Amino acid sequence: MVKSWMPRLDFLADGAKILLNLWEKISGNSYKIQHHYYQYIGTKRVRKSWWRKLLVIWVVLWTLVSLWVFWYMCSQAMEKRKETLASMCDERARMLQDQFNVSMNHVQALSILISTFHHGKSPSSIDQGTFARYTERTAFERPLTSGVAYAVRVLHSERERFEKQQGWTIKRMPEQTPVHKDEYNTEALEPSPITEEYAPVIFAQDTISHVVSIDMLSGEEDRDNVLRARASGKGVLTAPFRLLKSNRLGVILTFAVYKTDLPSNATPNERIQATDGYLGGVFDIESLVEKLLQQLASKQTILVNVYDTTNSLHPISMYGSNVSDDGLQHVSTLNFGDPFRKHEMRCRFKQNPPWPWLAISTSIGILVIALLVGHIFHATMNRIAKVEDDYHEMEELKKRAEAADVAKSQFLATVSHEIRTPMNGVLDLDVTQQDYVGTAQASGKALVSLINEVLDQAKIESGKLELEAVQFDLRAILDDVLSLFSGKSQEKGVELAVYISDKVPETLIGDPGRFRQIITNLMGNSIKFTEKGHIFVTVRLVEEVMESIEVETELLSKNTLSGFPVADNHQSWARFRTFSQDRHTCSLLLSSSDVINVIVSVEDTGSGIPLEAQSRIFTPFMQVGPSISRIHGGTGIGLSISKCLVGLMNGEIGFASIPKIGSTFTFTAVFTTGCSNTSELKNHQINKQSSSVASEFRGMTALIVDPRTVRAKVSRYHIQRLGIRVEVVPDLNQGFSRIGSGNTVIDTVLIEQEVWDKDFALSTPLRSSMLAASLQRAMGVGNRVNCRNGERPDLSLRYLLAGRKILVVDDNNVNLRVAAGALKKYGADVVCADGGKKAISLLKPPHNFDACFMDIQMPEMDGFEATKIIRAWNTRSMIAFNMGNCWWKLMKIVPRKWLVLTAKFAYKATLFIDDPLTSSLRCFCDLCIRHLNASSCYKCVPRGWESLLNFWRVVHWCARDTGNSKRSERDTARGGGDGSRRCGDGVRVALLHDLRFESGGAGQSVPGIVDADLRRTEYPRLPEHRRQAHQPPLPAVPSRHHCRRLPVPTAATSNSPASSTPSSSAKFIFINPTKLIRIDV
Amino acid sequence: MDSAVLQLQRQLSDYKSSLYNEGFLDDQFTQLQQLQDESNPDFVVEVVSLFFEDSERLLTELTKTLDQQSVDFRKVDAYVHQLKGSSSSIGAQRVQRVCIYFRNYCDEQNVEGCLKCLQQVKNEYTLVKNKLETLFKFEQQLLAAGGSIPMQ
């Protein structure tokens, strides 16, 4: 047993090994496949096409399989059907054969009977009557035999004897199948012709008794049968024929009867010799088959035909309907014992084969399953692809989110740094308290502007930012912005210039605050990154730029403001929609007369933007590099805000930048001219300007000598604004010849510094107001002071203070003396008081003080308390100025921490809301208004002021006229074209200016114009509804140094007469756009 | 011009710039000097003597107040504030600076620190007083020699 198991176990072990190997191979393959999958099918597209192919192959394969299954099952069913048919057919054939044989045997038995009793006995014991009776009575044995007859062999020699013996002559068989007719007359038949032998019928069953005496050999067919039967010794069949009586098909079976018992191998001749007679039986084949079929089951299902196929070409139907059908049929051969005759049985199913439902359902099932699997596969692949796509998308989003997060963190870090710096300024207050009030103010301002920037971004992000549409003067805005940056540009030694095309209308309707913000932002960036060269702002109309595209490109490369190369500004707007559209078709936007399409370029010669950073320059919080915020400060959202704002103005922004060469930012903005009567407005504007700034110069002619056209263009722009006609020549020789020609009188010659190498330079950006002042001074128009450089600030103070009666209050003698000395120095009439109480007694109305400078911190009664009391007497007559550092800074010598109270000013003032002093000062005010930004101040400031204010940083201060209408009446009466008339809600603005005297540059303010304009000064009113709408401009975050400079009031009144106006002999000013040179001739 | 006067002028300006450089005086003093003109020829000396007077009074008061058992810091603060104000008015920078520290100690109610600062203030005051007196002496010499005081 054990032994016999061993090989088996071995075999099993082998099998296990093989299986194991196989598994390893498969799993290895699957790893491989995975590996391949990632390696080769890694790319999505390849993978996709791969699995699509696979899917198609899969579907095709399974369709083929299901078709094959269908075919296979069908053929199986057919085969089975065939088999069934064959077996049934064979069975029937066999049975028929058997039945027939039985009948045949009976006939043969009859032949033996005759042989025994007719031929064996002599005389015969059988006659016709006996035979007929016998056959009739034994007919049940031969149910299929309709009748039997016996014909005896008669040789010719025996004919006569035979005929005598029988009593009838041998008759010839009629032509037409005589055997089967019952009613023909035997007598009428003619006797058989003489032949060698005869076979007359002697016995016949009653049913066919009419054939008696007919010679069987005389019928053609019967003769054949007879001859074949006696030769073969077997039963012989005739071809089927129709039986007369029953009209059924039948055959005649013929047996030979022999004299002696012949051996089975007897020759035909022997048989012929031994023949005695012939026995024939008529078979009813049809009923035979019918009976047989009735005996069998399932007769309904098949159709049976029996044919005599002796002549294979013309089979004779023996049974069955003659329906030709190509369908399935089975043929079984029948052997009825006659070797000559051939019979066969053909079987067919009655019904057509049923539909192969099983095959159909199976194959369809397979197909469905395969398709389902394919679908699942497809869905899975799709799912995988989708998930993968999602995954990539998520990854991308994640990356972006991370980048945004990083940017935001950087932003936060920067912001917190930016917040901390001014905060430090605030916190430092603890140490040096009041000294740093000013710091706090400036810090607060910086903080507020920073927060505003952040809020802007937030507003833009939430889509809440809306632009307003008010009338504004674009030139004035650019003047302001320029002045804002002039300090910084001077520090760095960078030229700053602006040029506005004549075609740009005086006034536009739009959002000046936002426009200013964009420009401030771009210029702020430029100034941050520019250490040498220039920053040049150009404002033109889009149409104008488009017209001059070709012309300018040639000039651009060399001819720049400072001579440094710049980035091509065409590239900065090359991708603008406006241009690409308009080059082909004139856009509707441009053609409409109301719409003004302005294009502004800010060109600098700074460090440029690194190429890799250029793509994200407009992304919020993205700075060029982390070091940028460290070096230059800023939050990195300025440009993105600008982009949004430009978008809101229906414009576009773009830039061109070349590292180490510079950047040019260009944006377009769409404004409207607003009112329909443009010309009227223009006239109005021109009148206004000329009346306020440049009336003195109207009609004058100036000659500019400057080889550089861009610079000359800028100069010309500014000078023309003053109403002066300008001519430009490139060099001095031409200039001299021009002056010499004497066609027109040249009032002024302006010679560029390069041309006239002089070192007496005022380093200031060229602005109309500045120019006006210089020209005023130079040409003897307006009010001027002949002064030395060093004395200029003092002089401006002198005009402020001269003749004023001022009360100075301080408990500190030294301070008091110094302050008094200082104020006296500037011509003020000073009265001193050493405490609050004394001040009160002096200020008790009626009094004639113009102003009161009071220390805040004093024993007994401090400045606040005193102010409160004074204000209680007459609310109209007081204004409280926080002196902090600023007054001291202004005058350099007056002690700190003063309050100034003046009776002349009918204002109650408040400070920054962020100002730590505000809360304490609030008691002086009826209304505390949020700080007012410079841009909205500008709006309300009359024209003359606007240019004046360019010298100062206009800061904050709002006051409200609560008092009676006396002053307002006066304002209204003299309102004229100034800005105060525009705002009629009774709120007044006091402007605090940083006079910036301490920053050292002697030429930073021009006393002449200060005087001239101050005397015309009005305090304009600020419209209430505009107050909130404006954001402050975005000044560069001031350094600590700048924070120290604080706003001071310009306390100008309208009743102080101008001081002496010594005439100047200056007739020539030599300028370039950034430098003013004045020479006294 | 006389070489002696020139010499004196140079000495004076050297001395002055040393005062600025060593931080005894600041810009305020220059401003003060600028306020002095024909209509007010002795302005600087006047103000400075006023400062000396005031300061000596304040220092005495401070010494007295700080000597007491329970120091009235508010009083001390007020005095130091005054001293700081007047010193900054004439540009006595170093005195002013010590005053700032002084006030800090005062806020902290630190008697020891206050006393230390008082000592420092006294030292600084004496120093600046000597320096200023020397300066005035130079100026007088110069004026006596017939020169004019150079403005900076």
Side-chain angles (χ1 to χ4, degrees):
Chain A
M1 280 298 280
V2 176
K3 259 188 183 173
S4 70
W5 272 106
M6 280 307 285
R8 252 193 201 179
L9 280 175
D10 281 350
F11 171 73
L12 278 177
D14 281 352
K17 252 186 207 167
I18 289 166
L19 277 176
L20 212 66
N21 282 343
L22 204 66
W23 171 248
E24 270 172 355
K25 255 186 192 172
I26 288 168
S27 53
N29 274 349
S30 75
Y31 284 135
K32 250 186 203 165
I33 285 168
Q34 274 193 347
H35 180 68
H36 281 228
Y37 178 86
Y38 285 118
Q39 195 172 354
Y40 296 111
I41 318 168
T43 62
K44 216 161 56 187
R45 188 172 299 168
V46 170
R47 202 166 59 234
K48 206 166 180 176
S49 66
W50 173 77
W51 65 255
R52 272 190 192 287
K53 271 179 200 162
L54 201 70
L55 190 67
V56 169
I57 289 169
W58 171 269
V59 168
V60 167
L61 183 76
W62 279 100
T63 311
L64 290 176
V65 165
S66 74
L67 282 174
W68 180 79
V69 165
F70 176 74
W71 172 82
Y72 180 72
M73 289 188 77
C74 275
S75 64
Q76 285 290 72
M78 193 67 99
E79 202 65 33
K80 200 172 174 194
R81 202 172 144 84
K82 238 185 217 168
E83 260 172 36
T84 315
L85 187 68
S87 70
M88 281 169 96
C89 206
D90 286 348
E91 189 190 7
R92 274 159 181 74
R94 204 176 58 246
M95 285 180 77
L96 183 66
Q97 218 170 287
D98 287 352
Q99 285 273 335
F100 190 83
N101 283 343
V102 167
S103 292
M104 208 164 70
N105 285 346
H106 282 292
V107 175
Q108 200 171 4
L110 209 61
S111 76
I112 290 164
L113 182 89
I114 286 173
S115 148
T116 313
F117 291 101
H118 180 63
H119 294 289
K121 296 268 172 112
S122 186
S124 166
S125 53
I126 300 170
D127 59 1
Q128 163 64 22
T130 320
F131 186 82
R133 220 165 31 245
Y134 176 79
T135 48
E136 201 65 53
R137 283 163 75 175
T138 56
F140 66 90
E141 276 190 328
R142 308 174 299 271
L144 304 173
T145 320
S146 56
V148 282
Y150 180 70
V152 75
R153 186 183 183 204
V154 178
L155 297 172
H156 186 66
S157 57
E158 295 165 345
R159 178 172 175 168
E160 271 179 59
R161 191 180 49 92
F162 178 77
E163 279 178 347
K164 274 178 194 162
Q165 197 184 335
Q166 293 291 330
W168 40 261
T169 52
I170 297 167
K171 312 257 177 15
R172 189 172 155 237
M173 194 177 276
E175 291 295 314
Q176 310 275 307
T177 58
V179 182
H180 324 294
K181 286 187 185 163
D182 329 62
E183 59 238 69
Y184 67 92
N185 193 357
T186 322
E187 301 304 321
L189 296 174
E190 46 185 286
S192 167
I194 296 163
T195 54
E196 206 173 307
E197 56 181 313
Y198 311 93
V201 174
I202 51 172
F203 306 132
Q205 204 173 340
D206 281 350
T207 47
I208 50 163
S209 57
H210 58 275
V211 294
V212 175
S213 81
I214 289 175
D215 181 8
M216 281 298 150
L217 290 175
S218 60
E220 190 66 29
E221 205 176 346
D222 292 320
R223 184 189 162 87
D224 280 354
N225 264 357
V226 168
L227 294 180
R228 271 198 303 126
R230 77 177 183 197
S232 63
K234 285 178 180 169
V236 169
L237 293 172
T238 61
F241 56 92
R242 206 152 281 278
L243 293 177
L244 288 173
K245 271 187 181 167
S246 54
N247 201 27
R248 289 167 181 274
L249 283 172
V251 289
I252 294 170
L253 174 67
T254 309
F255 273 104
V257 178
Y258 299 102
K259 283 177 192 142
T260 51
D261 282 341
L262 287 171
S264 56
N265 56 353
T267 60
N269 264 342
E270 281 172 352
R271 287 179 191 276
I272 292 166
Q273 290 305 317
T275 303
D276 262 345
Y278 319 95
L279 188 71
V282 179
F283 276 88
D284 184 347
I285 290 288
E286 234 177 320
S287 54
L288 173 72
V289 177
E290 216 152 86
K291 267 180 197 157
L292 174 80
L293 294 181
Q294 265 168 7
Q295 285 166 21
L296 288 168
S298 67
K299 58 182 175 186
Q300 310 291 344
T301 51
I302 63 167
L303 212 64
V304 177
N305 282 329
V306 182
Y307 289 94
D308 181 328
T309 55
T310 311
N311 184 350
S312 58
L313 291 175
H314 300 287
I316 305 158
S317 172
M318 292 166 77
Y319 175 79
S321 54
N322 204 0
V323 188
S324 67
D325 192 347
D326 303 331
L328 183 66
Q329 86 168 4
H330 183 79
V331 178
S332 306
T333 51
L334 291 168
N335 183 12
F336 289 143
D338 182 350
F340 178 71
R341 294 231 159 245
K342 289 194 175 68
H343 297 89
E344 60 183 36
M345 180 181 269
R346 295 179 185 176
C347 301
R348 277 199 309 273
F349 281 101
K350 271 185 182 164
Q351 279 135 4
N352 281 331
W355 284 96
W357 290 118
L358 186 67
I360 290 173
S361 57
T362 308
S363 58
I364 285 179
I366 288 170
L367 194 63
V368 164
I369 288 167
L371 287 177
L372 274 175
V373 168
H375 175 75
I376 289 166
F377 176 71
H378 176 74
T380 311
M381 288 316 278
N382 269 348
R383 185 84 191 155
I384 288 169
K386 194 173 178 295
V387 166
E388 251 168 42
D389 282 353
D390 285 356
Y391 170 72
H392 289 307
E393 201 179 325
M394 288 298 220
E395 212 163 35
E396 189 59 32
L397 285 175
K398 189 181 157 222
K399 255 185 221 159
R400 280 192 349 220
E402 273 168 3
D405 195 42
V406 167
K408 210 136 202 168
S409 324
Q410 261 177 12
F411 167 71
L412 279 180
T414 316
V415 163
S416 50
H417 175 76
E418 296 283 328
I419 289 176
R420 197 183 53 211
T421 313
M423 255 319 164
N424 284 339
V426 174
L427 293 176
D428 280 352
L429 279 176
D430 286 349
V431 187
T432 51
Q433 290 267 350
Q434 310 286 348
D435 290 342
Y436 290 102
V437 166
T439 313
Q441 271 191 355
S443 304
K445 205 167 72 185
L447 206 56
V448 164
S449 75
L450 186 75
I451 289 166
N452 277 327
E453 205 170 307
V454 175
L455 285 180
D456 266 359
Q457 178 69 23
K459 258 192 202 166
I460 287 166
E461 273 175 9
S462 59
K464 279 179 190 156
L465 194 86
E466 281 177 7
L467 295 185
E468 63 173 354
V470 294
Q471 221 170 37
F472 70 97
D473 182 356
L474 195 131
R475 287 173 176 78
I477 284 185
L478 278 159
D479 283 346
D480 303 345
V481 177
L482 209 65
S483 67
L484 194 69
F485 290 110
S486 59
K488 219 160 190 182
S489 71
Q490 283 160 42
E491 266 173 38
K492 289 190 160 187
V494 175
E495 286 185 35
L496 203 60
V498 67
Y499 168 75
I500 301 173
S501 155
D502 304 337
K503 289 178 183 157
V504 178
E506 282 291 327
T507 51
L508 294 168
I509 292 203
D511 193 329
R514 296 299 178 185
F515 185 70
R516 189 189 154 98
Q517 191 176 343
I518 298 166
I519 292 185
T520 313
N521 206 314
L522 296 180
M523 282 185 74
N525 279 342
S526 290
I527 212 153
K528 258 187 215 170
F529 299 109
T530 306
E531 302 298 333
K532 60 177 183 1
H534 69 267
I535 295 164
F536 182 31
V537 185
T538 359
V539 183
R540 284 175 295 180
L541 295 186
V542 169
E543 294 94 320
E544 201 183 333
V545 173
M546 280 162 56
E547 280 163 21
S548 62
I549 280 169
E550 291 78 18
V551 188
E552 274 195 16
T553 30
E554 299 163 17
L555 299 171
L556 204 101
S557 50
K558 272 187 185 174
N559 196 350
T560 65
L561 192 70
S562 60
F564 284 96
V566 295
D568 182 5
N569 78 352
H570 288 80
Q571 278 171 19
S572 64
W573 42 255
R575 268 172 289 179
F576 282 10
R577 271 176 290 115
T578 344
F579 288 92
S580 50
Q581 277 171 15
D582 291 344
R583 275 186 191 174
H584 306 296
T585 54
C586 194
S587 137
L588 284 173
L589 201 70
L590 288 176
S591 58
S592 99
S593 60
D594 268 2
V595 172
I596 303 293
N597 241 334
V598 168
I599 180 164
V600 184
S601 290
V602 179
E603 169 189 296
D604 69 55
T605 55
S607 53
I609 303 160
L611 293 174
E612 67 273 12
Q614 292 194 357
S615 61
R616 55 168 199 268
I617 206 80
F618 291 115
T619 315
F621 314 125
M622 293 288 192
Q623 289 186 329
V624 167
S627 59
I628 294 297
S629 67
R630 207 164 54 236
I631 298 165
H632 300 287
T635 51
I637 56 179
L639 277 175
S640 89
I641 290 177
S642 298
K643 191 177 184 186
C644 291
L645 292 176
V646 167
L648 286 172
M649 291 180 183
N650 297 321
E652 286 156 287
I653 188 163
F655 67 94
S657 185
I658 306 169
K660 297 197 176 90
I661 298 269
S663 317
T664 304
F665 277 80
T666 303
F667 69 93
T668 60
V670 179
F671 297 110
T672 51
T673 47
C675 41
S676 49
N677 47 349
T678 322
S679 55
E680 195 183 305
L681 183 87
K682 212 164 187 174
N683 288 337
H684 176 69
Q685 291 293 332
I686 288 166
N687 291 339
K688 213 169 89 179
Q689 185 173 27
S690 56
S691 68
S692 56
V693 176
S695 58
E696 304 101 317
F697 307 115
R698 192 147 281 274
M700 290 184 174
T701 306
L703 182 69
I704 297 176
V705 184
D706 191 343
R708 216 174 274 172
T709 45
V710 177
R711 200 162 50 188
K713 197 167 79 171
V714 174
S715 310
R716 187 219 290 265
Y717 157 69
H718 286 287
I719 296 163
Q720 273 179 343
R721 284 177 70 191
L722 299 172
I724 301 173
R725 232 165 51 75
V726 179
E727 290 177 29
V728 180
V729 290
D731 58 54
L732 265 181
N733 287 337
Q734 286 189 38
F736 288 138
S737 61
R738 173 68 194 81
I739 295 166
S741 70
N743 290 338
T744 42
V745 179
I746 304 287
D747 297 283
T748 315
V749 181
L750 303 139
I751 302 170
E752 214 285 318
Q753 194 186 17
E754 276 177 23
V755 183
W756 191 283
D757 195 26
K758 287 281 173 186
D759 58 355
F760 191 60
L762 303 180
S763 169
T764 295
L766 181 61
R767 293 186 302 272
S768 294
S769 50
M770 172 66 82
L771 193 65
S774 308
L775 289 175
Q776 276 169 336
R777 231 182 12 248
M779 294 191 249
V781 290
N783 299 285
R784 285 151 287 107
V785 212
N786 194 6
C787 54
R788 285 181 295 141
N789 276 339
E791 285 181 63
R792 276 184 189 153
D794 304 351
L795 282 165
S796 78
L797 274 179
R798 175 176 286 278
Y799 292 116
L800 210 62
L801 296 170
R804 306 279 161 82
K805 190 168 178 189
I806 292 171
L807 178 65
V808 184
V809 189
D810 197 326
D811 61 321
N812 188 323
N813 281 330
V814 180
N815 289 357
L816 201 59
R817 179 64 66 89
V818 173
L823 291 168
K824 272 180 193 155
K825 170 90 176 171
Y826 294 106
D829 178 6
V830 183
V831 176
C832 295
D834 59 1
K837 283 197 167 148
K838 193 170 178 197
I840 289 168
S841 67
L842 285 167
L843 284 170
K844 201 165 192 166
H847 64 85
N848 58 352
F849 287 102
D850 288 317
C852 168
F853 291 49
M854 195 187 295
D855 188 9
I856 293 171
Q857 195 177 2
M858 289 184 296
E860 284 183 81
M861 181 182 281
D862 67 13
F864 291 123
E865 210 177 324
T867 314
K868 227 183 273 180
I869 293 165
I870 296 159
R871 274 179 46 79
W873 293 330
N874 184 353
T875 52
R876 262 199 79 230
S877 63
M878 296 302 153
I879 183 160
F881 291 147
N882 164 31
M883 296 314 337
N885 287 345
C886 54
W887 196 239
W888 178 71
K889 283 280 178 187
L890 167 68
M891 302 175 73
K892 296 258 176 174
I893 39 180
V894 175
R896 278 157 263 192
K897 294 160 280 168
W898 293 65
L899 283 172
V900 178
L901 306 171
T902 91
K904 295 284 182 189
F905 296 136
Y907 304 108
K908 279 150 276 174
T910 180
L911 297 174
F912 269 152
I913 200 143
D914 321 291
D915 195 303
L917 270 182
T918 309
S919 51
S920 49
L921 282 174
R922 200 162 282 170
C923 56
F924 304 117
C925 315
D926 294 327
L927 182 67
C928 285
I929 303 169
R930 266 175 64 102
H931 73 275
L932 180 69
N933 65 63
S935 68
S936 46
C937 260
Y938 272 87
K939 276 190 194 156
C940 312
V941 169
R943 192 103 190 137
W945 266 73
E946 251 169 88
S947 50
L948 172 70
L949 295 185
N950 290 340
F951 292 100
W952 303 322
R953 222 169 297 150
V954 175
V955 193
H956 62 272
W957 204 287
C958 276
R960 186 178 145 89
D961 189 3
T962 53
N964 62 38
S965 54
K966 208 172 169 188
R967 195 177 176 85
S968 355
E969 277 164 20
R970 206 180 59 196
D971 285 343
T972 321
R974 55 151 71 189
D978 70 21
S980 66
R981 216 163 58 152
R982 267 181 267 153
C983 25
D985 59 358
V987 175
R988 293 165 177 288
V989 181
L991 297 152
L992 298 190
H993 305 135
D994 180 355
L995 288 175
R996 298 188 303 175
F997 288 133
E998 81 285 9
S999 63
Q1004 289 198 357
S1005 72
V1006 183
I1009 193 159
V1010 171
D1011 306 341
D1013 284 299
L1014 268 179
R1015 282 184 298 104
R1016 284 205 298 270
T1017 295
E1018 240 349 282
Y1019 288 98
R1021 288 164 293 188
L1022 177 75
E1024 196 105 35
H1025 65 272
R1026 288 196 196 154
R1027 228 173 276 132
Q1028 301 292 331
H1030 288 290
Q1031 299 298 321
L1034 301 173
V1037 173
S1039 63
R1040 294 280 315 246
H1041 170 69
H1042 280 104
C1043 291
R1044 289 300 199 103
R1045 293 209 232 127
L1046 275 181
V1048 293
T1050 46
T1053 54
S1054 54
N1055 62 351
S1056 75
S1059 57
S1060 60
T1061 55
S1063 65
S1064 165
S1065 57
K1067 281 288 179 213
F1068 287 88
I1069 301 175
F1070 302 98
I1071 67 159
N1072 72 21
T1074 54
K1075 304 234 167 34
L1076 259 172
I1077 306 162
R1078 178 174 156 251
I1079 294 180
D1080 292 348
V1081 180
Chain B
M1 219 178 265
D2 205 322
S3 67
V5 172
L6 277 176
Q7 175 101 24
L8 267 174
Q9 261 182 355
R10 201 177 305 123
Q11 273 184 359
L12 179 62
S13 58
D14 283 352
Y15 186 66
K16 237 184 197 173
S17 50
S18 79
L19 287 185
Y20 285 110
N21 291 339
E22 286 163 38
F24 286 108
L25 296 176
D26 64 10
D27 202 34
Q28 178 72 9
F29 189 75
T30 322
Q31 300 286 338
L32 212 60
Q33 281 186 316
Q34 279 176 2
L35 287 179
Q36 183 171 290
D37 55 16
E38 304 81 50
S39 64
N40 207 352
D42 294 327
F43 181 69
V44 178
V45 178
E46 248 173 63
V47 171
V48 170
S49 350
L50 204 61
F51 168 69
F52 291 159
E53 233 169 75
D54 215 42
S55 305
E56 261 149 44
R57 179 179 60 83
L58 287 169
L59 286 174
T60 326
E61 290 291 331
L62 274 171
T63 320
K64 224 189 276 170
T65 319
L66 281 170
D67 266 355
Q68 273 160 10
Q69 278 291 319
S70 60
V71 181
D72 183 354
F73 282 102
R74 261 168 51 197
K75 222 169 169 184
V76 175
D77 188 61
Y79 290 139
V80 179
H81 173 65
Q82 286 239 357
L83 187 60
K84 188 176 138 241
S86 40
S87 57
S88 70
S89 269
I90 67 149
Q93 209 177 185
R94 285 165 67 155
V95 178
Q96 186 198 350
R97 218 171 283 155
V98 180
C99 283
I100 293 169
Y101 295 123
F102 205 149
R103 289 190 74 182
N104 283 349
Y105 284 123
C106 206
D107 284 346
E108 293 167 19
Q109 308 224 328
N110 182 344
V111 184
E112 260 180 54
C114 283
L115 283 170
K116 218 170 87 192
C117 276
L118 178 65
Q119 201 49 53
Q120 257 183 304
V121 168
K122 277 182 176 165
N123 289 346
E124 290 295 343
Y125 167 70
T126 324
L127 269 172
V128 83
K129 190 183 175 185
N130 290 336
K131 299 275 179 191
L132 283 169
E133 277 168 351
T134 319
L135 181 72
F136 293 148
K137 235 175 249 166
F138 264 123
E139 283 183 355
Q140 272 164 8
Q141 273 178 16
L142 185 62
L143 285 172
S148 61
I149 298 162
M151 296 297 292
Q152 276 190 333

